[in-house]
Amino acid sequence: MKSSRSLLGWALVAAAACAVPATAGAVQIDGAGATFPYPIYSKWFSEYNKIRPDVQINYQSIGSGGGIRQLSNQTVFFGASDGPMTNEQLLAAPGKILHFPMVLGGVVPIYNLPDVGADLNFSGTVLADIYLGKITKWNDPAIAKDNPGVTLPGSDITVVHRADGSGTSYIWVDYLSKVSPEFKSKVGVATAVNWPVGLGGKGNEGVAGLVKQTPGSIGYVELIYALQNKIPYGAVKNYDGNFVRASLESVSAAAAVAAGKMPPDFRVSITNAPGKDVYPISSFTWLLLYQNPKDKAKAKMMLDFMKWALSDGQKLCGDLGYAPLPANVATMVMTALNGVR
Amino acid sequence: MGRRARERGGFRLGTGAVALLVPLLVAGIAVVLTWDSLLSVRQFGLGFWKNSTWDPVAGVFGAFPFIWGTLYSSLLALLLSTPIALGIAVFLSDLSPRPLRQPPVFLTELLAAIPSIVYGLWGIFVLVPAVRRIETLTPAWLRRFPLFEGPPVGVGLLAAGLILSVMVVPFTASVAREVLKAVPANQREGAYALGATRWEAIRMALFYGRQGIMGAVMLGLGRALGETMAVTMVIGNTPRASLSLFAPQYTMAAVIANEFSEAADDLYLHALVEIGLVLFVITVAINTLSRLLIWRVGAERA
């Protein structure tokens, strides 16, 4: 007992020693924003700190909205967001803000039908109609059409969505709005929307918990969350008409295809992208930087870090469940970094 | 003599300054809440509290479903918790054998110390499935009443009311027990001397302490109104006011906690702060009301 306690004591001392950077002169760069990329960002920051002990990047995952706000108020050096900034937000900022995609994420439909063994297929319009409250039963002909040979129960569909504002919801409704004009006009695209039907769960865990407990329910979570918690999820019909299950490869494929038509500011939605193997509910997550930061020394360090993250850093993505940027996109972002001065 | 007067003056000034902090703080909160919600106040005016639409995309914000959900869940919690809390208080102050008294006192106070996120987790994994079971077992004829309408999803007003009542019981019970303990012994002795039964003596003690007991209940209500985490985890977070206990609803504290971090545009943010302002006003109003009630009861006795 005593020895284990003293061991714990030493562990605490060691942890405290690690927490305080050994290099007293390290430059600290502060950032804030999206929660979705937080695990990979913090991994990057700590790994990069091992290579460059003089650079310490400090990131607060306060949400995309908060990140945009803090960056616009110039209280942080960089921001991060799961949805691109709107034109109004860009105009309101005191200087020109640039978007840089860093990794990719996907959102997957999850459901709870104990008697249906097969992995269900969903077309985008079916998902939109379910979330509009127009499809209310599991044996609706529209669902049956996507799933030949599967016996669907006649039970009610309980719709579950995110209650908190989130990038996950943004990607989900962005996709539903692209495939359904009615969804676009009635609900629209934002991190929080006025849901016509359904229950709100807080966070991925809240949605997954509600779906797990409620027979007949459907919800959506981040791909990473589903992978880490081994939650089975459905396949979604892509632009080319194939049912594709989300994976790191099929999410990266969405970006690779979009590279051809990439706008110079990278503010692009890649949901419902064309391509045979593309998973349609995929999105970039962006780091936000001023084009002309005041602190040139910090800017240099930040750019060095981002170049590392876009090259060596991308190899760390897979372990954490993030889809890496396809090589052609990473090169484009790398070039664009030269625009910051 | 001079020194003593000086000391007394300094002491008075010091404590006075500290006491002044409280009204200043309250006024400060009111000013900041109003200032940061000006955009929304101007845009929606007095219609804010009775409008039922909450649409961040269209920029239309109304607080009614949240006000409804907050008051409904808190009053339900009060209804469920008050009899239980008074029962605990009476048992511990008057009926329980002395050696058995400490453990339950300790345990009720322990309930008050559990963080609300822990209550929330318990709610998700234990309470919600149990409520869903109750809802599925509810006979169809009963489900036709507006009070029990809707599909059995488990999360909803009933789950929120139940979890709140569990959280409120220790507060009400321990204050009520203190109140009953403070009832002078001669009151009970007098009642017994007049031939009262134990039940009648307890009723007399409750009546004597009604002012304090009312305060205990109001303390519980205050806790229920502001509770955020546990409620948002079990209430279903759906901004649609409904009479049904089985329907998922929403509270003011929950919507602020859920949406604040992602609210990027100004009107949206101001609407959320205005929800905070409404919650603040309702809390102040309820506290004032209960204070008036207590004064009146006190005046009657005098």
Side-chain angles (χ1 to χ4, degrees):
Chain A
M1 182 65 213
K2 188 156 186 254
S3 75
S4 79
R5 184 180 290 175
S6 70
L7 205 68
L8 181 72
W10 281 113
L12 284 174
V13 169
C18 293
V20 180
T23 43
V27 175
Q28 186 173 318
I29 302 176
D30 293 317
T35 47
F36 159 70
Y38 177 64
I40 181 72
Y41 284 179
S42 52
K43 178 84 181 160
W44 278 346
F45 299 148
S46 72
E47 287 298 318
Y48 192 65
N49 187 245
K50 284 179 198 157
I51 306 170
R52 286 280 300 270
D54 57 323
V55 182
Q56 202 193 355
I57 304 173
N58 172 22
Y59 182 72
Q60 303 293 326
S61 59
I62 57 174
S64 302
I68 290 170
R69 189 163 284 276
Q70 300 253 335
L71 184 67
S72 302
N73 292 339
Q74 293 176 294
T75 45
V76 291
F77 189 77
F78 68 95
S81 178
D82 294 336
M85 288 173 72
T86 62
N87 290 333
E88 297 90 77
Q89 284 168 346
L90 285 172
L91 283 174
K96 186 167 185 204
I97 292 175
L98 301 178
H99 289 63
F100 299 102
M102 298 306 287
V103 282
L104 290 150
V107 179
V108 295
I110 57 173
Y111 55 88
N112 178 346
L113 288 175
D115 298 330
V116 178
D119 288 330
L120 285 187
N121 291 329
F122 297 96
S123 53
T125 43
V126 164
L127 288 175
D129 284 349
I130 290 174
Y131 274 80
L132 280 168
K134 285 169 72 185
I135 293 178
T136 58
K137 300 268 185 208
W138 278 104
N139 60 0
D140 191 283
I143 304 179
K145 202 178 126 236
D146 291 342
N147 296 282
V150 179
T151 317
L152 292 159
S155 52
D156 286 330
I157 301 178
T158 301
V159 174
V160 183
H161 53 74
R162 286 284 287 267
D164 46 336
S166 81
T168 312
S169 289
Y170 185 94
I171 298 165
W172 183 252
V173 296
D174 182 57
Y175 171 66
L176 296 185
S177 291
K178 273 193 193 166
V179 293
S180 158
E182 186 179 355
F183 195 90
K184 186 175 182 163
S185 65
K186 277 196 179 154
V187 182
V189 183
T191 52
V193 298
N194 184 18
W195 297 99
V197 286
L199 309 171
K202 188 166 167 53
N204 283 303
E205 64 286 1
V207 171
L210 279 173
V211 170
K212 201 171 168 187
Q213 288 182 5
T214 319
S217 61
I218 184 169
Y220 60 88
V221 294
E222 277 160 18
L223 172 61
I224 301 170
Y225 187 83
L227 289 176
Q228 281 171 351
N229 294 283
K230 306 201 168 48
I231 301 171
Y233 50 87
V236 182
K237 195 181 196 170
N238 69 11
Y239 188 83
D240 285 16
N242 300 330
F243 287 102
V244 175
R245 275 168 58 75
S247 64
L248 302 188
E249 293 76 33
S250 61
V251 169
S252 281
V257 172
K261 299 180 288 189
M262 186 75 72
D265 64 356
F266 296 109
R267 285 195 299 151
V268 62
S269 152
I270 55 167
T271 53
N272 206 26
K276 192 161 67 74
D277 303 317
V278 163
Y279 181 70
I281 320 180
S282 308
S283 173
F284 289 121
T285 180
W286 292 267
L287 270 188
L288 309 170
L289 279 181
Y290 280 105
Q291 188 177 30
N292 303 106
K294 282 191 200 110
D295 191 330
K296 301 298 175 199
K298 266 189 192 174
K300 170 85 176 48
M301 286 175 177
M302 188 67 197
L303 290 177
D304 285 348
F305 159 74
M306 287 171 76
K307 281 173 189 162
W308 172 84
L310 287 166
S311 49
D312 289 354
Q314 293 288 315
K315 291 175 200 132
L316 298 169
C317 292
D319 289 346
L320 290 173
Y322 292 85
L325 294 181
N328 54 354
V329 176
T331 315
M332 290 167 84
V333 180
M334 204 74 107
T335 316
L337 282 176
N338 297 327
V340 179
R341 48 189 95 241
Chain B
M1 194 64 201
R3 205 189 80 205
R4 191 171 279 184
R6 240 195 344 271
E7 261 177 14
R8 204 164 52 201
F11 189 59
R12 183 179 288 177
L13 216 68
T15 50
V18 179
L20 201 66
L21 271 180
V22 176
L24 277 181
L25 218 60
V26 174
I29 290 171
V31 167
V32 169
L33 284 177
T34 316
W35 185 253
D36 282 342
S37 61
L38 269 185
L39 273 182
S40 156
V41 172
R42 274 206 209 107
Q43 178 101 5
F44 305 110
L46 285 175
F48 186 71
W49 72 269
K50 53 183 179 191
N51 182 355
S52 290
T53 310
W54 183 263
D55 188 342
V57 181
V60 177
F61 300 101
F64 183 72
F66 308 105
I67 299 174
W68 171 267
T70 303
L71 293 180
Y72 197 178
S73 58
S74 299
L75 291 177
L76 181 68
L78 220 57
L79 207 69
L80 296 172
S81 68
T82 306
I84 297 171
L86 288 187
I88 293 174
V90 166
F91 179 76
L92 292 180
S93 73
D94 285 62
L95 300 175
S96 117
R98 197 163 283 277
L100 289 185
R101 210 163 280 181
Q102 267 323 299
V105 168
F106 173 73
L107 286 176
T108 22
E109 275 161 18
L110 192 76
L111 270 184
I114 296 176
S116 60
I117 185 99
V118 176
Y119 275 109
L121 287 174
W122 173 76
I124 286 186
F125 293 115
V126 181
L127 186 65
V128 168
V131 170
R132 187 177 307 116
R133 187 138 183 77
I134 295 171
E135 289 174 359
T136 2
L137 292 178
T138 310
W141 62 268
L142 200 61
R143 299 268 291 277
R144 278 198 286 276
F145 287 95
L147 203 58
F148 304 105
E149 265 175 352
V153 288
V155 293
L157 200 92
L158 183 58
L162 283 170
I163 209 164
L164 278 176
S165 65
V166 177
M167 297 175 80
V168 158
V169 157
F171 284 82
T172 316
S174 57
V175 176
R177 190 180 64 95
E178 290 302 321
V179 168
L180 287 177
K181 257 170 66 184
V183 171
N186 60 21
Q187 290 287 327
R188 285 194 184 85
E189 280 159 13
Y192 287 129
L194 289 172
T197 60
R198 193 168 230 197
W199 162 236
E200 284 163 338
I202 290 170
R203 261 178 48 194
M204 192 281 317
L206 280 171
F207 184 75
Y208 186 91
R210 64 195 183 282
Q211 190 175 341
I213 285 169
M214 182 93 80
V217 173
M218 286 300 156
L219 187 74
L221 181 61
R223 162 113 212 217
L225 283 174
E227 178 47 45
T228 312
M229 209 30 130
V231 173
T232 191
M233 289 165 88
V234 302
I235 199 168
N237 303 313
T238 304
R240 261 185 292 280
S242 159
L243 253 185
S244 175
L245 291 172
F246 293 176
Q249 307 206 20
Y250 222 144
T251 68
M252 290 188 269
V255 72
I256 298 174
N258 279 335
E259 299 192 1
F260 197 80
S261 65
E262 289 287 337
D265 80 279
D266 286 333
L267 181 65
Y268 188 9
L269 201 66
H270 279 225
L272 282 171
V273 177
E274 191 174 355
I275 294 259
L277 181 66
V278 174
L279 182 56
F280 179 75
V281 168
I282 288 178
T283 316
V284 169
I286 284 179
N287 273 306
T288 315
L289 216 72
S290 63
R291 194 47 48 164
L292 285 176
L293 217 66
I294 290 169
W295 273 338
R296 252 193 59 195
V297 176
E300 261 170 34
R301 190 160 64 204

